[in-house]
Amino acid sequence: MNPDEFIDAVASENETALSRLGSSKSLYADTEGEMEPEEVLTAAATAEHHAAETYEAWSDDEDGDVADAFAETAAEERDHYETVVGELDAHDPGEVPAIQAYLRDLDGTVERIGGFVGRTLAAEKSKAQMTGFFTGQADPQTASLFRGMGDDLDAQLERATELLETHCGDDEECWERAQEAATGAIQAAYDEYTESLESMGVNPKPVC
């Protein structure tokens, strides 16, 4: 397997979950139905804070190129957090999102890199929704902030797959372990999305 095949496999396996995480209902779930600018920013800040915490802890726990990659990603996520918090009067990080709780339970290096891919794919869907939200709010400046964060996620995805190529090479079992972890991360986010909507009496499935 190679990086492109890996991304395709993860995306295909989680097509439904990623599609729904990229819908407007996902933003509704993240804000508990309060789709106002401040609530959207608060949800974004919470996600960025906990992501930075996860990657910082992983960086401290790993070595070499993996530690460096997680440190670079943690710095990006911390910068994202500071950027979003700059748009708020105050912020309480609150509870750890389900996807971050899942990631923090991963011990193996390959599993962590796979989880990194899964989180990044899910986060790209979220950033696209937030960009669209602020565009719809006639707030191009804030929309641009989230668009820039999305660009960083593209770089993170490339960073993660390069790590997998280095650490897995021709070892198919290694790629499979990474894919299982990536799917686990996406499904953790999707399960939380589903539970949040159902708790508000909203059908998580799209109405056709």
Side-chain angles (χ1 to χ4, degrees):
M1 186 175 284
N2 62 42
D4 289 339
E5 291 170 343
F6 180 79
I7 294 299
D8 288 345
V10 173
S12 177
E13 184 177 3
N14 299 280
E15 182 177 3
T16 297
L18 288 170
S19 175
R20 293 179 184 169
L21 288 171
S23 73
S24 59
K25 282 186 177 180
S26 181
L27 201 56
Y28 190 84
D30 286 343
T31 61
E32 298 182 349
E34 300 292 334
M35 290 181 63
E36 298 295 331
E38 185 171 352
E39 298 302 325
V40 173
L41 289 166
T42 296
T46 295
E48 303 299 340
H49 169 83
H50 290 294
E53 294 278 296
T54 298
Y55 294 134
E56 285 167 0
W58 282 1
S59 176
D60 291 341
D61 201 36
E62 297 286 346
D63 298 308
D65 59 343
V66 179
D68 291 343
F70 287 147
E72 184 176 359
T73 305
E76 288 169 348
E77 296 298 320
R78 186 63 65 189
D79 183 61
H80 292 175
Y81 175 70
E82 297 297 338
T83 298
V84 176
V85 166
E87 303 294 316
L88 293 166
D89 292 332
H91 178 253
D92 176 358
E95 295 183 6
V96 178
I99 190 170
Q100 295 301 329
Y102 171 84
L103 293 177
R104 293 176 190 185
D105 281 340
L106 296 174
D107 291 327
T109 297
V110 168
E111 286 77 10
R112 286 175 172 174
I113 300 170
F116 179 19
V117 171
R119 185 268 168 178
T120 305
L121 290 173
E124 284 184 333
K125 298 295 185 180
S126 175
K127 294 299 180 294
Q129 276 298 312
M130 290 176 178
T131 300
F133 173 83
F134 285 104
T135 299
Q137 293 286 312
D139 185 350
Q141 182 176 354
T142 305
S144 180
L145 292 178
F146 284 102
R147 192 174 295 109
M149 293 178 198
D151 292 342
D152 284 346
L153 290 171
D154 291 340
Q156 289 179 17
L157 193 60
E158 182 176 355
R159 190 178 305 145
T161 53
E162 285 175 354
L163 287 175
L164 283 177
E165 189 170 32
T166 298
H167 287 264
C168 288
D170 296 327
D171 185 345
E172 288 302 316
E173 187 271 338
C174 179
W175 287 101
E176 288 171 5
R177 283 162 47 209
Q179 184 175 339
E180 182 178 352
T183 290
I186 293 167
Q187 290 300 318
Y190 180 60
D191 288 346
E192 185 172 53
Y193 153 88
T194 300
E195 291 167 7
S196 177
L197 290 178
E198 288 179 342
S199 72
M200 292 184 285
V202 177
N203 183 354
K205 298 180 181 179
V207 178
C208 299

